Amino acid sequence: MEEQPGLSEQYTRASPWPVFVALGLVLTEFGVFLGNYLLPVGVGGVLLLEASVVGILRESGYVDSLWPSSLGVGLFVGGVGAALLTVGRFNRGAALAGAGGIAVLAAVGFCCYERGYL
């Protein structure tokens, strides 16, 4: 047997997304748990995590365009953030709601660009 198990000619390069997912999780938790002064770091971490999920979906071929998946992820994360804000989890809720809102705005921008409005 000359085949090497686990190797394939189909995949010529490694995916960069796992590194960004891990970095997004670390930045999110770092920004959320260490208080109000680092809340923008938490929002940036959530945005990096959202962008990584959208990138993974696009790279794997599950979606053809960026804006529907970005809109879905943004609405989901924003909804979870709004729910956390209503139960009193301010830092985590504000980070998630803010990042979800930014992702929804990015999805609208992607949609307008793709359709030629920009």
Side-chain angles (χ1 to χ4, degrees):
M1 294 183 73
E2 294 185 25
E3 292 183 22
Q4 295 179 356
L7 298 178
S8 171
E9 296 294 326
Q10 180 183 3
Y11 302 109
T12 58
R13 59 185 173 88
S15 177
W17 298 115
V19 174
F20 293 119
V21 168
L23 186 60
L25 284 171
V26 168
L27 288 176
T28 299
E29 297 303 321
F30 185 72
V32 168
F33 283 129
L34 292 182
N36 294 333
Y37 297 112
L38 295 176
L39 192 60
V41 174
V43 172
V46 174
L47 282 173
L48 182 61
L49 188 60
E50 290 174 353
S52 299
V53 169
V54 171
I56 289 170
L57 291 174
R58 177 73 186 261
E59 182 181 8
S60 63
Y62 287 118
V63 295
D64 293 328
S65 178
L66 292 175
W67 73 267
S69 54
S70 181
L71 181 66
V73 169
L75 288 173
F76 175 74
V77 170
V80 170
L84 287 174
L85 280 173
T86 61
V87 296
R89 299 281 188 176
F90 177 74
N91 285 345
R92 189 172 297 255
L96 290 175
I102 292 171
V104 168
L105 290 176
V108 170
F110 286 141
C111 179
C112 291
Y113 180 76
E114 190 174 272
R115 295 178 185 217
Y117 299 136
L118 294 177

